Amino acid sequence: MNVKRAVENQIEIFNMLKQTKAKDRLSHAYLFYGEQGTGKKEMAYALACIMYCKNGGCLECDVCKTILDGNHMNVDYIGILNNKTAISKEQVLDLQDEFSKTSLVEGTRIYIVDGIDTATQAAQNSLLKFIEEPINQTPTIGIFLANEISNVVNTIRSRCILEHFSSISKEKEIDILEEEGLEELDAILLAIITNNPTEAIELAKDESKKRSHKTT
Ligand SMILES: [Zn+2]
């Protein structure tokens, strides 16, 4: 997860969230949607940084680092497990269970649901109550991430602030891949194959593994 780069690519959204926080007007529910690889997950963590960082979301201080490493007590995340294609009802229930316990730390709690569009309607609807009635009176912010917004139930969509994440340009993707150490030609070819830089980097790694096998 390269949060700084994702934030740079979606700087308007980041700045808007920062300003909203400065005015103390953050919503209790956000739905970030757009293609895979547009930085939704990274932005969800960046929003957590904006929430807790004393510098307003520097992405560098100890608090920000704790959040970005996934170790902050107030930030919970569920996403599609490695061998699965969807978020399960159990994961949603576990998350709610976690929130029903009294928080050991003070302040707003954040939960990130990555792949809300893959959950069943029933699982999505069980989250709805959660959005509407924070348990324990603890202020909460829900951040939902979806590749395909049409698969998110209307009742959730209507209660969230929607943020669309647009795909990055091919030029930008090629720049990113070159920064990651790829040769220009490889970067161009990979940018044609996928417009998701993370996926492109994975493909490049796989390819270099294959190559090294051949030579040994
Ligand atoms: Zn910070």
Side-chain angles (χ1 to χ4, degrees):
M1 192 166 75
N2 188 330
V3 174
K4 274 191 191 155
R5 189 168 67 207
V7 162
E8 267 171 40
N9 289 340
Q10 304 288 355
I11 195 69
E12 293 87 4
I13 294 178
F14 185 67
N15 287 339
M16 180 277 300
L17 292 169
K18 260 181 148 173
Q19 284 161 12
T20 316
K21 166 69 170 78
K23 290 181 204 151
D24 206 15
R25 296 179 74 166
L26 282 178
S27 168
H28 65 290
Y30 286 89
L31 175 55
F32 294 170
Y33 69 100
E35 272 180 62
Q36 184 75 34
T38 47
K40 302 184 295 293
K41 178 180 176 184
E42 290 84 351
M43 190 65 74
Y45 278 93
L47 174 54
C49 291
I50 292 173
M51 196 63 216
Y52 298 112
C53 168
K54 291 203 163 59
N55 314 314
C58 67
L59 309 178
E60 278 171 356
C61 69
D62 286 348
V63 173
C64 286
K65 276 189 191 142
T66 310
I67 292 168
L68 300 179
D69 289 340
N71 294 327
H72 197 282
M73 298 282 283
N74 284 26
V75 184
D76 281 273
Y77 170 91
I78 58 169
I80 302 167
L81 298 172
N82 264 339
N83 51 348
K84 296 275 164 38
T85 53
I87 284 190
S88 69
K89 184 100 191 256
E90 287 71 43
Q91 285 179 286
V92 171
L93 294 177
D94 285 350
L95 180 72
Q96 288 169 333
D97 197 45
E98 185 59 35
F99 271 73
S100 67
K101 296 175 194 151
T102 310
S103 177
L104 298 173
V105 272
E106 283 185 18
T108 306
R109 295 186 70 186
I110 294 182
Y111 58 95
I112 301 165
V113 181
D114 191 356
I116 178 86
D117 52 332
T118 66
T120 61
Q121 291 213 345
Q124 291 190 34
N125 280 319
S126 75
L127 274 169
L128 191 64
K129 204 164 167 321
F130 195 36
I131 300 177
E132 291 185 327
E133 302 161 25
I135 303 162
N136 290 333
Q137 312 294 319
T138 310
T140 57
I141 296 180
I143 310 170
F144 303 101
L145 314 180
N147 293 349
E148 192 44 72
I149 191 173
S150 59
N151 292 340
V152 180
V153 295
N154 260 324
T155 39
I156 290 203
R157 267 193 263 169
S158 63
R159 281 164 179 82
C160 291
I161 301 280
L162 305 185
E163 286 302 335
H164 177 245
F165 282 59
S166 46
S167 303
I168 58 169
S169 68
K170 291 287 176 209
E171 290 75 22
K172 186 113 196 176
E173 185 181 358
I174 292 164
D175 286 348
I176 292 171
L177 296 177
E178 285 186 302
E179 274 169 37
E180 290 288 329
L182 294 184
E183 301 286 340
E184 189 183 3
L185 189 59
D186 287 341
I188 293 169
L189 288 173
L190 283 163
I192 294 168
I193 297 170
T194 169
N195 48 14
N196 175 352
T198 311
E199 192 181 47
I201 291 162
E202 288 302 316
L203 286 171
K205 275 187 201 155
D206 288 351
E207 193 54 38
S208 74
K209 261 188 223 158
K210 275 188 216 155
R211 280 180 205 166
S212 69
H213 274 296
K214 274 179 198 157
T215 51
T216 49

